[in-house]
Amino acid sequence: MLIKGLDDEDFTNYKFPSMFIASTTCDWKCCKESGLPIETCQNCSLAQQPNIDIPADEILRRFINNPISKAVVCGGLEPMLQFDEICELIALFRQYKVDCDFVLYTGYYEDEIADKIEKLKQFGNI
């Protein structure tokens, strides 16, 4: 899975200690819709960081072996632009009976991603 970063223990992005996965791309939808320069985005500099290729099973292994993190948060840029990879990661967690919360921070409105939301419902705890 291509990512910008992975923090095994994050305490700021969700109510539980979480593994934070930074996605690789953004279309700057939030800034464009608000009429703001892209540089105002708190994650603008993240887009300039190199991509990291980490296997999904390595992400799962790190999560399982970490006694602190209780959820996985995907954000940083726009995880919906990596939807297939995110679904594969969630499916892998569920295959191994890891039923933790998955949080996907997105700039899209519900009606813009209705098909993706429907697909995510099969997993639970999203």
Side-chain angles (χ1 to χ4, degrees):
M1 177 175 191
L2 285 179
I3 60 175
K4 288 290 185 186
L6 188 146
D7 188 355
D8 289 293
E9 298 165 4
D10 177 82
F11 301 93
T12 59
N13 286 295
Y14 191 53
K15 63 184 178 181
F16 302 126
S18 303
M19 172 183 273
F20 184 83
I21 301 171
S23 55
T24 59
T25 59
C26 192
D27 54 10
W28 311 112
K29 179 183 179 300
C30 300
C31 290
K32 290 175 183 175
E33 286 184 351
S34 300
L36 297 170
I38 292 168
E39 296 76 24
T40 61
C41 177
Q42 67 181 11
N43 294 314
C44 185
S45 63
L46 181 61
Q48 306 307 314
Q49 300 299 315
N51 289 341
I52 301 164
D53 193 0
I54 184 168
D57 61 339
E58 173 66 11
I59 295 172
L60 174 64
R61 185 195 64 75
R62 286 171 64 165
F63 184 84
I64 290 171
N65 290 323
N66 184 328
I68 295 172
S69 289
K70 305 298 179 208
V72 177
V73 176
C74 301
L77 292 171
E78 181 50 71
M80 288 300 160
L81 297 178
Q82 287 184 262
F83 186 74
D84 291 340
E85 288 179 288
I86 298 289
C87 283
E88 289 171 15
L89 181 65
I90 297 168
L92 181 65
F93 271 61
R94 300 310 189 240
Q95 176 186 340
Y96 283 88
K97 308 297 185 220
V98 180
D99 198 34
C100 65
D101 293 359
F102 261 82
V103 179
L104 308 177
Y105 285 120
T106 181
Y108 287 95
Y109 297 104
E110 187 175 346
D111 64 317
E112 295 173 319
I113 56 170
D115 58 326
K116 291 175 173 59
I117 292 170
E118 196 58 38
K119 184 171 182 177
L120 289 168
K121 286 180 181 178
Q122 70 178 312
F123 299 116
N125 287 341
I126 306 296

